[in-house]
Amino acid sequence: MTFYAPFCLPFILGAALMFLIVAWKWGKWLWLLPHEDKMRILRGLPTRRTVAAIGEVVSESLLHRRIFRVNPLLGYMHMSLAFGWFLLILTGWIETVAHIGFRYVPLQGHVFFKYFATGLEHKPVFDFLMDLFLLFVLSGVALAWGKRFYSRAMGMHRTTKHVLGDRIALSALWFIFPARLLAESTTCALYGGGSFLTGSLGGWMAEHIGVMPLMTLESVAWWFYSSCLGLFFVALPFSRYMHIFTEIPLIFLRRYGVRSSEKESSYDRFQVEACSRCGICIDPCQLQSVLGINDVQSVYFLRDRRYGHLRLQVADNCLMCGRCVERCPVNIDLNTLRLNSRDRMRNVPDERRYGYFKGLDRSSGEGKVGYFAGCMTLLTPRTLTAMSTIFEAAGEEVWWADREGGVCCGRPLKLAGETDSARKMMKYNADLFRKHGITTLVTSCPICLKVFREDYDLPGVEVLHHSEYILRLIRAGRLTPERGTTRFTYHDPCELGRGSGIYDEPRAVIEAVGQLLEPASTRENALCCGSSVANTAISDGQQVQIARAVAGELEATGADVIVTACPLCKKAIGRGTKGEVRDLAEIVAGALK
Amino acid sequence: MAAIHFGYTISKPRAIDLDRNNLRKSDEILREMPELQTCIGCGACTAICTAGNLTSFNFRKVHTLVRRGEYQGAYEEMNKCMLCGKCRLVCPRGINTRGVVMLIKRKLGDF
Ligand code: SF4
Ligand code: SF4
Ligand code: SF4
Ligand code: SF4
Ligand code: SF4
């Protein structure tokens, strides 16, 4: 039995080309990884992490469980295409073995088995299974068609706008399975076999079409099917479908502890090309939902970066609020990628910059507990006064790092992409903290908190957000605020919630002074105030527009006072409402006897 | 003669010759950030400036001079800015001041 016919050619060429290109890409990216990352991979290979990675590949690359969580119908669509196709390939392979034993069969022999197997006796079980899985995939294709016309059914208001390579691959993909159905059915019409799908369709054809036209149709159908496959394979590495293969190594690398950082590395390529452009990140973006900006979202950012036409304008226009990160089914580290793009486009190392930091020390007071207000808290003096009241009530000796002015924590500059200069600010502050021998560092700004925890080297110093610190004081009985009847609602600051995972402490503190009402979007889904320091592109008016939308949601809870735990959020939301906006520290200080 | 120090200084008077200055870069900057033209020179940005609090850096002065075509030293001065964002929150005209800092640095990097 020869497993070759001329129509196989497009498929063979396409598949060969695809494998070469994918292998070339993977090889290059792996080769270019920094040495430490290569060592991480080698060390991780023989451990349980490999097993865990395999499990994740099955659950994400095949079953797409995380998409199910976004929307079941969307999840089913992705799963039926990926898992269904996988089942077809697997069962097809078993079918070949069942027919002719463990013999070498070229790839096209497996793929076009129906065509070559006409002389063999029929195995109805396999006919049935193959038809079943084909139906499974076809249902996914039908949903994909439907999604183009009516995306809302899958919980998506907007779908991705695609590039040319994507359109070619997408069209080919849409036709692959209908073509397969037609090809297999004509073969069944001529030689019998098939089950409820191909068999029935074949039977119907045999009744209505003559043998000669059927023979022609069969040849045309198989050529068409093979060409669709070939075209899809050739377009795949250049289109979004590269994600099918890229997500797999990405999962392994991630399990071995490889991460993106503020400088670009070849690991980023795995992340960038693992984006399926599913567009799930578009809807949560407030730049889209409130401002109607729709070319900067993560999906477009990654697309532009991948094809090398990323503009600073697009890289800059993002709040880095992390709402999209929370939803991305591939778990791509979107904020870090955005950051290292900015770094590449803007970072200019300058040895002499910030020479004026030398010998600078405006700190005051003495104590093991240090308090860093940060620029934004200095601009909201009520928070500062409230903290001072709280420290006094708890009898805490405090070293004030920057009450008389000081150096910014460095995060705003870092987020703008000037990472090397930001390091200088970080080093200055870290040296200052060490010099004064503090063991606890309290800050009321989540922006500072995040950079202290993630980028500062502060051994022996515990870094606390004031929400955590106040809660400790209350629990230890050092602070006894009086619980009143005021109804509060709480806005989760991005840098505190999604950024640092602190959701419960501020809520517990609020519960200690009054009643807490949750807004519609809360915790991981909380909205961004719109004034994020990470965005230098939107205008003042646009910031206010977002603030109004956010404030509207908070007011809808019917609360008397909006509470937040970030000086910038407080300022920002205050611009969007006529109501009262307070920092957590203020309401606690106000409830002290 | 010992002058009384009131805690602030007054800039020396100077003449800017707009006919002699090359305004090409200034025009480019204003084209990319038209809102800068609405600056009323109130100085709020400078009053709260984190860097200005520690040095003689004067944000209003630098961006005003740049608009007049005086580019000398503007890049170095802007490099004192920490991009903390306070100025943006106090500007009564809602000017994207952090954007201004970055734009001026991008345009005048070679001066
Ligand atoms: S970034 Fe994530 S959510 Fe957005 S399109 Fe890519 S895979 Fe989908
Ligand atoms: S981080 Fe926020 S602002 Fe940026 S793309 Fe994602 S959702 Fe939009
Ligand atoms: S100011 Fe608050 S809500 Fe706005 S980006 Fe920062 S943390 Fe998020
Ligand atoms: S961003 Fe720069 S100019 Fe503005 S207040 Fe901060 S240091 Fe000053
Ligand atoms: S605060 Fe705004 S309006 Fe006032 S001087 Fe500065 S930029 Fe101009």
Side-chain angles (χ1 to χ4, degrees):
Chain A
M1 197 174 196
T2 57
F3 287 102
Y4 183 76
F7 79 82
C8 300
L9 213 57
F11 163 78
I12 297 172
L13 286 177
L17 210 60
M18 176 186 76
F19 280 116
L20 279 177
I21 298 171
V22 171
W24 162 254
K25 282 191 172 194
W26 284 9
K28 194 173 76 182
W29 299 340
L30 283 172
W31 177 253
L32 288 175
L33 279 180
H35 180 70
E36 315 87 76
D37 284 342
K38 286 183 186 152
M39 290 313 289
R40 276 196 189 99
I41 299 172
L42 286 181
R43 275 196 302 269
L45 267 174
T47 64
R48 285 224 314 274
R49 292 166 173 218
T50 305
V51 184
I54 295 172
E56 193 183 336
V57 167
V58 173
S59 103
E60 292 313 320
S61 299
L62 286 179
L63 303 179
H64 290 96
R65 284 189 29 218
R66 281 195 282 258
I67 305 186
F68 267 96
R69 259 184 277 136
V70 176
N71 180 290
L73 200 57
L74 192 67
Y76 176 81
M77 182 191 102
H78 283 260
M79 184 188 77
S80 60
L81 287 171
F83 190 50
W85 201 349
F86 172 77
L87 284 176
L88 275 177
I89 294 170
L90 186 73
T91 320
W93 186 79
I94 299 173
E95 185 185 18
T96 328
V97 172
H99 275 289
I100 56 177
F102 285 97
R103 249 181 56 197
Y104 168 73
V105 176
L107 197 59
Q108 73 272 18
H110 290 289
V111 175
F112 304 122
F113 190 69
K114 268 264 162 33
Y115 180 86
F116 297 114
T118 46
L120 302 170
E121 72 172 298
H122 296 295
K123 291 197 189 304
V125 187
F126 283 108
D127 284 343
F128 173 74
L129 281 180
M130 293 300 272
D131 270 12
L132 186 67
F133 297 145
L134 184 57
L135 183 67
F136 185 36
V137 181
L138 281 170
S139 68
V141 176
L143 283 174
W145 283 359
K147 175 167 163 255
R148 281 284 119 184
F149 301 112
Y150 193 62
S151 56
R152 259 165 212 263
M154 294 192 200
M156 291 176 72
H157 295 282
R158 276 168 205 275
T159 54
T160 323
K161 290 169 277 176
H162 291 306
V163 298
L164 184 69
D166 287 346
R167 287 184 192 283
I168 295 175
L170 184 70
S171 315
L173 181 63
W174 279 2
F175 283 114
I176 286 175
F177 295 98
R180 176 174 178 147
L181 176 65
L182 187 69
E184 295 193 349
S185 299
T186 45
T187 300
C188 289
L190 286 168
Y191 305 97
S195 186
F196 65 93
L197 203 61
T198 49
S200 316
L201 192 58
W204 183 86
M205 281 177 173
E207 261 174 50
H208 294 85
I209 310 174
V211 176
M212 282 318 283
L214 254 174
M215 305 260 286
T216 325
L217 186 64
E218 190 203 20
S219 141
V220 170
W222 283 101
W223 266 99
F224 182 58
Y225 174 38
S226 168
S227 307
C228 284
L229 280 173
L231 189 64
F232 178 68
F233 289 150
V234 173
L236 181 138
F238 308 102
S239 74
R240 64 193 189 121
Y241 297 101
M242 183 65 193
H243 84 90
I244 300 173
F245 291 110
T246 316
E247 195 182 352
I248 299 168
L250 174 66
I251 287 173
F252 280 88
L253 294 187
R254 198 156 48 201
R255 289 273 174 179
Y256 297 143
V258 183
R259 296 282 180 274
S260 284
S261 76
E262 61 189 38
K263 301 283 174 196
E264 286 187 346
S265 93
S266 88
Y267 170 63
D268 297 347
R269 299 294 307 187
F270 284 102
Q271 300 218 61
V272 170
E273 303 211 359
C275 166
S276 62
R277 276 174 235 157
C278 64
I280 288 174
C281 53
I282 301 177
D283 278 344
C285 183
Q286 289 163 269
L287 298 179
Q288 188 277 123
S289 61
V290 181
L291 303 181
I293 299 171
N294 46 28
D295 54 356
V296 302
Q297 282 70 25
S298 294
V299 54
Y300 302 121
F301 159 74
L302 291 179
R303 179 196 65 193
D304 292 356
R305 176 162 164 176
R306 177 175 167 187
Y307 296 114
H309 50 72
L310 181 64
R311 288 172 303 127
L312 189 59
Q313 190 62 25
V314 169
D316 271 348
N317 204 351
C318 167
L319 301 157
M320 292 207 192
C321 65
R323 279 172 60 80
C324 53
V325 182
E326 203 59 48
R327 294 276 208 96
C328 173
V330 190
N331 272 354
I332 300 173
D333 190 358
L334 298 165
N335 280 349
T336 310
L337 291 176
R338 184 83 71 158
L339 173 64
N340 64 31
S341 277
R342 290 180 186 180
D343 169 87
R344 187 176 54 74
M345 296 168 126
R346 188 174 283 124
N347 190 47
V348 187
D350 181 351
E351 270 313 307
R352 287 160 312 162
R353 193 169 177 193
Y354 297 135
Y356 64 87
F357 289 174
K358 210 161 167 241
L360 189 74
D361 186 350
R362 293 224 183 148
S363 63
S364 56
E366 228 167 275
K368 286 283 150 207
V369 175
Y371 174 71
F372 188 91
C375 308
M376 291 302 164
T377 308
L378 291 174
L379 204 56
T380 48
R382 279 201 208 196
T383 309
L384 198 63
T385 319
M387 281 312 290
S388 164
T389 311
I390 289 170
F391 284 133
E392 207 170 307
E396 193 84 91
E397 303 264 306
V398 182
W399 170 72
W400 301 84
D402 58 349
R403 196 156 53 165
E404 315 301 326
V407 170
C408 172
C409 66
R411 187 158 170 86
L413 194 68
K414 172 183 164 174
L415 292 182
E418 298 191 50
T419 56
D420 285 333
S421 297
R423 288 271 158 218
K424 296 193 154 194
M425 299 157 84
M426 298 177 195
K427 181 166 180 313
Y428 166 83
N429 280 317
D431 286 346
L432 190 70
F433 300 152
R434 269 195 290 273
K435 178 174 143 200
H436 288 273
I438 53 169
T439 53
T440 307
L441 178 61
V442 180
T443 179
S444 41
C445 177
I447 306 167
C448 308
L449 177 84
K450 194 162 161 68
V451 75
F452 288 159
R453 284 201 175 158
E454 291 176 6
D455 294 300
Y456 277 53
D457 179 28
L458 295 171
V461 181
E462 191 185 17
V463 179
L464 293 176
H465 184 245
H466 71 332
S467 62
E468 298 173 296
Y469 175 72
I470 293 172
L471 186 64
R472 272 194 204 182
L473 292 181
I474 295 176
R475 296 228 162 117
R478 291 172 66 188
L479 214 56
T480 43
E482 210 164 319
R483 192 163 195 276
T485 52
T486 318
R487 287 170 309 159
F488 299 104
T489 184
Y490 176 64
H491 165 78
D492 282 286
C494 312
E495 299 271 58
L496 191 65
R498 283 183 293 270
S500 309
I502 299 176
Y503 297 104
D504 298 325
E505 287 84 352
R507 288 183 165 77
V509 171
I510 295 174
E511 297 274 11
V513 292
Q515 195 193 338
L516 174 66
L517 303 171
E518 292 285 355
S521 315
T522 186
R523 299 180 74 98
E524 287 84 357
N525 287 322
L527 297 169
C528 172
C529 68
S531 290
S532 162
V533 285
N535 190 312
T536 47
I538 57 173
S539 72
D540 191 63
Q542 289 173 314
Q543 289 185 335
V544 175
Q545 241 177 299
I546 298 180
R548 283 216 188 94
V550 176
E553 223 189 81
L554 291 163
E555 283 164 350
T557 57
D560 312 312
V561 179
I562 296 172
V563 182
T564 187
C566 165
L568 183 53
C569 295
K570 185 188 155 187
K571 277 257 170 206
I573 297 170
R575 297 207 295 169
T577 173
K578 290 201 175 65
E580 214 181 322
V581 186
R582 293 267 172 265
D583 186 88
L584 195 66
E586 289 176 63
I587 62 164
V588 173
L592 292 175
K593 278 165 277 196
Chain B
M1 199 175 74
I4 302 170
H5 188 58
F6 286 105
Y8 61 87
T9 54
I10 296 171
S11 307
K12 280 205 206 77
R14 57 185 295 192
I16 295 173
D17 189 344
L18 283 178
D19 290 333
R20 270 231 319 267
N21 282 357
N22 180 353
L23 294 179
R24 193 174 55 85
K25 288 274 179 187
S26 160
D27 287 344
E28 272 177 37
I29 289 168
L30 289 176
R31 209 172 311 127
E32 274 195 45
M33 184 78 71
E35 63 201 67
L36 190 52
Q37 301 187 64
T38 67
C39 169
I40 50 171
C42 67
C45 51
T46 303
I48 51 78
C49 178
T50 309
N53 191 7
L54 306 172
T55 68
S56 60
F57 170 55
N58 183 330
F59 179 51
R60 175 188 59 171
K61 185 167 154 188
V62 178
H63 72 66
T64 309
L65 287 177
V66 166
R67 271 183 288 150
R68 308 271 191 277
E70 301 267 318
Y71 311 126
Q72 205 62 48
Y75 179 84
E76 287 71 25
E77 277 301 301
M78 282 305 189
N79 249 349
K80 291 184 179 155
C81 161
M82 308 189 208
L83 222 58
C84 67
K86 277 163 87 178
C87 46
R88 185 162 188 187
L89 288 177
V90 297
C91 176
R93 306 312 302 256
I95 294 169
N96 178 358
T97 50
R98 298 173 77 229
V100 169
V101 173
M102 296 197 300
L103 179 61
I104 289 181
K105 291 209 310 189
R106 184 150 54 82
K107 292 285 180 193
L108 300 180
D110 48 355
F111 267 84

